[in-house]
Structures are given as structure tokens and as C-alpha cells.
Amino acid sequence: MNRKHIKNKHLDELKELLSIPSISAHSVHKKDMISAAKWLQKKLNSLKFETKILPTGGHPVVFAQYTTHNSRPTILIYGHYDVQDPGDLSLWKSDPFKPEIRGGNIYARGAADDKGQLYTWIAALEILQGTVPCNIKFMIEGEEEVGSKNLDVFIQKNKKLLKSDICVISDSHCLSETKPVIDYGLRGIVYTEITVKTLERDVHSGIYGGNVLNPAVVLSQIISKLKNENHSVLIPGFYENVRKLKKSERDELKKLPFKDKQVMNETGALVVTGESGYIVHERAGARPTLDVNGIWSGYNGEGEKTIIPAVAKAKVSMRIVPNQTSDEISNKFINYVNTLEPDGVDLKVEVLSTGNPILMDTSSLYFKTAENAYKKVFGKKPLYKLSGGSIPVTSILKKHLGLDSVLMGYGLPDDNLHSPNEKLSLTMFEKGIKTNIEFLKSF
Amino acid sequence: MNRKHIKNKHLDELKELLSIPSISAHSVHKKDMISAAKWLQKKLNSLKFETKILPTGGHPVVFAQYTTHNSRPTILIYGHYDVQDPGDLSLWKSDPFKPEIRGGNIYARGAADDKGQLYTWIAALEILQGTVPCNIKFMIEGEEEVGSKNLDVFIQKNKKLLKSDICVISDSHCLSETKPVIDYGLRGIVYTEITVKTLERDVHSGIYGGNVLNPAVVLSQIISKLKNENHSVLIPGFYENVRKLKKSERDELKKLPFKDKQVMNETGALVVTGESGYIVHERAGARPTLDVNGIWSGYNGEGEKTIIPAVAKAKVSMRIVPNQTSDEISNKFINYVNTLEPDGVDLKVEVLSTGNPILMDTSSLYFKTAENAYKKVFGKKPLYKLSGGSIPVTSILKKHLGLDSVLMGYGLPDDNLHSPNEKLSLTMFEKGIKTNIEFLKSF
């Protein structure tokens, strides 16, 4: 097979994987989750990997290994086969689960996050087949988009199986097709759901209005006390353990071109705003935040419905940074929200998932190897950045195996992760495969 | 036909009418709206009424007249054939549009509000057929549950057709099967929708969290400024024109047995609470209120979705009292909400519908006639109450025709209007028919 054939074969295979609607959040897609796991198992079997689909408390993990080089390092490749819910289908230009190539990009839910990026490693190994000078393991999970809730227990149980020298993860992005970047830190997350119940059923707003509590009003009042209008989180002690950046780090962050204008283009925001005294990159990666991811109560259809709703709910999540911990922030959040409960309200605060923040040692051998691989393919040294996202596996691997991770991301800032019309640039897909080859060949 | 046959026939006919899902808020039910109007037309034709289905800017009005007694008064009977959306079907014990009789009640959406109550007049006229000593007109609208938005124009256009001496309306409730009540005032309403847009699309909360505005947070902040924790509405000048009750009115309201305990039983509220310094009946009828009828933004499914939503919306309505007006309160609301708009937000405030409050002259001949009819059937004088609900037609008839209304309601407080498992007591249905007969026979 010539290069072009290989390239077409890889794109065809990626399309197959992207066609499986493996949405981990919805139990109705359980069968699709298994299909995606089996698809990966079959593919890795064809590359002579020894594979297993291992159960967890939720969706299973695809594990694979090819470990014939006893004295050489072992690289653990992490990825996830689950995707986010596509949301409002009318906002997608093509079906999220019928991959389509337009203008040098492949469009589909999961194209960048994470099936397409994960696949760059599979393609690299297929090209290198038989000539890889190190040992390879794969751990591909199915619950990254729902907070990797069962991964901590899974990794703790399978320490021996997962033992490696470094973990590499392609689930982040470069600044552009010519500006590579390595994320050296990730935010953690505490994802919660607040339920305010004031009545047993929705009631007539004329008959009862004036005499009973409105749960949507109470919930709004609670939310308005979580964050003030200067974008500061009001939970007592929230900022207590936030690490201050070194001057050298701030200087490095200032080199990054991710500016207000770019955020506005990517999101359609009319203003870029946040905690005062910090630049965009600090607010995106070095500062913790709080957001409402969803809120719902009562009637949301056409026209009017004159009710007082019985229940109001909100999904509220916090992105946390070193040296905050998810346990600390979960507790502070729960305690504070409980102090905001008025009399006569049935209030429930649930933590749905958590992940700790992490900071990597950029001076390690593996970072240097990654840096060189990027240099060879992109022609320039990657910049170092603190990512605003969360990849729970990184802190779990560190905790149980003492294992560091290198984030070798091949997405772009406008890939529409978690939004309609998610895409992956075909140029980045190819450069990703090549960078992985350079990286793997170095051991 | 004997009495029992007549009773069964009336129940069978009411079931037919209740089976039509005439939900005015949803355009998908337009055909059902026409079916309900035609059903009423056919029935009134059979009682020798001259009938017309008259167009409006929205759903049509069923008009009927039987006016052979030139020198006698003309009674305009108002009702509405539209119903509220049934909401979550899983909360209904039987299908909202398959009427079912259980424990002395008929269960269906619209059983009490308003098909069942309206039907008490049709049944009374069928029983009295040929012996009614006065002229009768019917105006049955199809948009009461969506704020009667086209009724003002309709009534203005059809003044001559609608000319009458009094309007009677059965769309309210007694205190129990043995405690009749006449509502002598109704609150008005201003029903609005607020839209907060901060982004063009939902975006990843990790990548952008900290740098862009969250519309659900902004909307919560706005709502938290509409009403404080002491249940006072914070719109400047909101209470300025609220009428103070006379001492005699307060004394009469204090006689009513509608107490905290009853509100708690009917709604499942853990506390009955509202503006301090007012009793439950004042807060329910003599004081204005503000409620969130619905709020929605972002993700509300299972598990997690780590997005910052693009848009957040809320339905916010105010119940207003004499001498507030819907124009005054609409303007004050819009102006105030606009002052709460932060920079960088696309804020829209829409008034979906309005209705003015009304206060009736309880000393009129027609009130006394109604009082006597109740006395004959229930064995006791009705109490006088200010209703918390809104029936827009009352203020429109007063404005364009100078026409007063008498509210002869046959519901009960636990009829679950606008809630799952709406019902009408069969005892009240029968007493209603009898009270109407006594009322009509008096002219």
C-alpha cells in the first residue's frame, strides 16, 4: 500500500468509529458504547496487540498491550471512546454521527474529542508496525465525558497491568496548524447538581401566588450568591489554596497569542471578561471558575403556563487548579450552599463527579522527547500552556502509579468541542500521526 | 327522560368535550381547538340557539344567542373551551384526555377549568328548555389559558352583538361542597419572557470558563433582583398604586377558613409564607405578586455536560391588583429589567400577555340574585372573597361595554387546576347546574 492508500484507509476507519453514537451520559446508548469498545479491540487485535475489554462500575475500559521489549520503556497511551451528547441537532450542518469531510476538516461528534486524536496513535502504530522500539499499552475509557467516575477504582485495581514509564494523551489542542503547544497543567473539576423543591406539584400561580415559595426564585437567589458580578466565586475559602504562578510562567503564558478577539470569534461572545488582574490565559488555566451548565424548572414551551413550579434544578460545576483539591472544594461548596437554604425548602446538593487538578514536570525526558517530535514535524518548538480543561485520568495515574502524563494534543481552538459541528482538521490529523511516529521512534 | 337519565346524558356529553385536547398554547393542537368549538356549536344549536364561530387573531370564539324576550334582561354567559398543557403525563393517574370517574370526581384536563363549569350552564339551559324567562348569550373563547390576547379587539369589534345586562362566569371555586363563595375581585396579570444571550453557541466550560459570561448566572442574578428574600417585589414603584382594603373588607376576608394548613395540604408546601403584615387571603387576592413560571438554559439530562450555555430564558409573571394597571406594570418591569443588564449581554424582555385587575360592585341586583340562588341550593349565604386568579374577560367587558360580571364558581380548592390530575367534584357539578337554574329562573 502506498502512502495515499494508507491515508484513505485511516480516514475510512476513523469514519467508522465516529459513526458509532457512543454517548456515555445516556443509558439508551449502552449498546453503542459496547460497539465502540469492540471496534477498538478488533482494530488493536489486527495490530497484534493482546487486548481485553475490562469491566468497571460503568462503561468498560479497552486495554491492549504489546510488550516484547523487556529493557525498553513502556508508553501508556490513554484515550476515550465516549463522546458528548450532540445537543440540538438542528444546529449541526451534517449529522453528528455521519462523518462528513468539508473544507479540509472531518465533521462529527467526537472528531476531535477524542476519537480522532486517539486514532492518530493507532495510525502511527500501524505505519510503524514491527519497528516500534518500545513497549506500548493502551487504556481507552468510556466515561471521560461523564467525569471518569469509575476510573479511580479501576486504576487502583489494575496497577500491575497498567505499570508504565509515561502516559501520553492526545485530547487537547495546538494554537493553529503551525503553532504546536504542550499543556503542562490541567484544571480539575467538581460537578454538582442542586435541587430545590418547595411544593409537591406544580400549582396555579393565581391561587397560590403570594403564599408559597417559588423554587426557581429560590434557586436563582442561591446561584446569585455563588459568584458576584465581578466574577469572583463567593464560596468561603474557595481561593485559599490556589497556587500563585511563578514570574517565569506568567511570562511564558504572555507569549501565547490566545487573545480576546480569538475567544470572541470562537464563542460569539460580545465581551471577554472575568476576574480582574489576570490575563485571558491565566483565567483560562491558572484560576478556578464556577459555571452553571444547566438550569431548569417549570414551563418552557410556547406561550404561557401560569404555574408555580414544584421543583427547580441546576447543574453547577467548578474548574479547580493546583493546590485546590476536589474533596476540599466539594465540601466547601456543599457547606456553603446549605447555609443558603431558606426555611421551608427541601434542598439537595449532589456531587456528580470530581477530578483533581494536575501540574506536570516539564523538565522530564519525556517532555523533551515530545518537544523534539513536535519540532521535527511542525518546524518549531511548542509553547507551554496551562489548560482550562480537565482530564481526570492524569491526576488518578499520578496518585496510584506515580505516573506522569504528556499531553500531545492535535485539536485546534475552533474545533467546537462539546458544541454543534465538532470537527478535526485533516492537516492536524496527519501532523498528529507524524508527531506520534517521531515520538515513538525515539525510544 | 327521568332525572337520572338526564344526569347520565350530561356526564356523557361532558366526557366527550373533555376528550378533545384543546390546548391553546400549542399550535399542534389547532385542529383540536376547532373540534372543541364545533362541538359546542352543535350542542347549542340543539338547544335552539342561533350560533356562530367567530374568528379572532388567534383561536375563534363560539357565540350563541337565544333572545326572544324583548323586555327581559340579557345574561351573557362566558366560558372558555381551551385548556392548559397537561405537563408531565407520568404524574397523571389517568390520561388527561380520557375522562375517568373515581371517588365522586371526574378527572381530566379541563374538568374544572373550564369545560366542566361551563357545561353547568348548558345543562341548566337544557333542563329549563323553553321556560327561561330571560335572554341568553354565550361567548366561549379559546384563548383564556394563553392570556386572552385577542379578546380585547374581538369584544371591541362586536360590541353590539355582545350587548347584555350582566355577564356570569363559572371559572372559580367554592371553599367546599357546603361552603359557597362569590369572588368579587380578580387579579390582573402581566406575563413576560426574559432572554439572556451571551454566546453564539454552547461552548466547552473548561476552555472558556473564566473568560466569558454565563447566561444562566446572569439570568439568576437578574431574577434575584426582582424579589427579595422577604417576598417584596423590587421593581421601583411596583406597589405605588395598590389599593388599600377597607376595614370591612379585611373583616370579611378574616371570616374565610382558607388557612395555612389548607394551602399546605393542597400544594405540599412545607411553609406558607409571603409579604409580612398580611393574612393569607390578602396575599392571595389583595396583594400583587411576582413568580417565575419557568426557567431553562443549557443541559438538563442525565449526568454531566461540561458546557457554558449560549442562552438562558425565563417566563416571569406578575399578578396585579386594583389600582395597578397592566400597562403601568409592563412598563415598570421592562424598564427595571433593562437597568439590570450587564455589559456584553444580549437581553430581551417580551410581554407575552396582560390582563387588568377588576373589582365588582357587590351591591348590584345581579349579585343579590346569585347570592339567593346559592342560598337555595347550598342552604347558606355565600362568603365574599378576592380571587388570586385572573380572568381577563372581566376587565375587557367592563372597559368596552361597561358590563359587570358575577363569578359563580363551582370548583373546589383541591381541583388541581394547571396541575396533574385535574378534577371536578360530581356533587359540585350537580349543585352548579341547580344553582344556575335558580339564578336563571329569577328574571
Side-chain angles (χ1 to χ4, degrees), chain B residues 213-243:
Chain B
L213 290 172
N214 184 310
V217 172
V218 172
L219 183 56
S220 296
Q221 286 164 343
I222 290 174
I223 290 169
S224 73
K225 286 174 191 150
L226 297 179
K227 204 168 164 179
N228 69 16
E229 279 150 47
N230 300 320
H231 317 290
S232 289
V233 176
L234 301 173
I235 300 163
F238 186 73
Y239 294 102
E240 204 167 73
N241 296 318
V242 172
R243 180 181 81 100

Side-chain angles (χ1 to χ4, degrees), chain A residues 41-338:
Chain A
Q41 181 178 39
K42 196 175 155 201
K43 177 67 196 169
L44 291 167
N45 279 341
S46 81
L47 300 181
K48 313 259 185 317
F49 275 78
E50 191 187 311
T51 64
K52 294 179 204 181
I53 293 185
L54 296 170
T56 73
H59 300 298
V61 165
V62 180
F63 176 81
Q65 58 184 348
Y66 183 84
T67 49
T68 51
H69 305 279
N70 281 334
S71 61
R72 310 297 309 150
T74 301
I75 316 284
L76 174 67
I77 301 168
Y78 165 88
H80 62 92
Y81 64 88
D82 66 324
V83 300
Q84 283 268 325
D85 170 82
D88 185 350
L89 294 178
S90 72
L91 301 174
W92 285 77
K93 281 195 196 116
S94 54
D95 188 307
F97 297 109
K98 285 187 185 144
E100 197 175 285
I101 290 172
R102 296 194 301 272
N105 296 299
I106 180 162
Y107 285 87
R109 173 55 89 224
D113 182 12
D114 176 49
K115 289 171 176 173
Q117 294 203 56
L118 166 66
Y119 193 83
T120 61
W121 290 96
I122 296 174
L125 285 161
E126 182 153 37
I127 292 163
L128 286 174
Q129 213 165 358
T131 69
V132 187
C134 55
N135 302 305
I136 306 287
K137 292 180 180 179
F138 272 96
M139 173 173 68
I140 310 171
E141 72 154 321
E143 296 193 296
E144 202 273 343
E145 299 297 359
V146 289
S148 302
K149 4 183 184 235
N150 295 292
L151 200 63
D152 191 297
V153 170
F154 175 82
I155 289 177
Q156 202 176 2
K157 263 197 195 158
N158 292 285
K159 278 189 196 177
K160 217 172 142 187
L161 197 66
L162 297 170
K163 196 177 176 306
S164 308
D165 294 284
I166 190 73
C167 174
V168 291
I169 303 176
S170 293
D171 194 16
S172 52
H173 60 79
C174 289
L175 295 170
S176 73
E177 287 178 354
T178 56
K179 287 183 189 143
V181 77
I182 297 180
D183 288 314
Y184 70 102
L186 285 163
R187 292 199 280 200
I189 192 164
V190 172
Y191 199 110
T192 74
E193 187 167 306
I194 303 178
T195 304
V196 171
K197 182 177 169 185
T198 60
L199 305 170
E200 275 308 317
R201 67 197 74 87
D202 296 354
V203 301
H204 191 293
S205 69
I207 298 174
Y208 300 105
N211 282 310
V212 297
L213 291 171
N214 186 312
V217 172
V218 172
L219 182 56
S220 295
Q221 286 165 343
I222 290 174
I223 290 169
S224 73
K225 287 174 189 151
L226 296 179
K227 205 168 163 180
N228 68 16
E229 279 150 46
N230 299 321
H231 317 290
S232 290
V233 176
L234 300 173
I235 300 163
F238 185 74
Y239 294 102
E240 203 168 74
N241 297 317
V242 171
R243 180 181 82 99
K244 282 212 172 69
L245 294 192
K246 286 178 250 167
K247 191 176 171 301
S248 59
E249 278 181 282
R250 275 195 100 174
D251 290 346
E252 174 82 13
L253 289 181
K254 280 181 188 158
K255 283 189 205 156
L256 293 164
F258 185 71
K259 287 279 160 50
D260 289 24
K261 194 113 194 197
Q262 196 186 339
V263 173
M264 287 161 87
N265 284 342
E266 287 162 20
T267 65
L270 298 173
V271 290
V272 173
T273 184
E275 274 191 287
S276 64
Y278 299 95
I279 63 166
V280 169
H281 286 286
E282 284 174 287
R283 295 196 301 230
R287 299 292 299 170
T289 65
L290 180 147
D291 268 297
V292 172
N293 310 101
I295 184 169
W296 66 106
S297 175
Y299 183 66
N300 67 11
E302 262 181 274
E304 298 107 70
K305 188 168 183 186
T306 46
I307 50 160
I308 300 177
V311 179
K313 292 184 181 230
K315 308 228 186 225
V316 177
S317 67
M318 286 147 283
R319 299 280 175 169
I320 60 177
V321 298
N323 301 312
Q324 293 176 304
T325 71
S326 59
D327 283 351
E328 170 214 350
I329 296 301
S330 297
N331 289 334
K332 285 178 176 171
F333 181 79
I334 293 171
N335 291 340
Y336 178 59
V337 174
N338 279 315

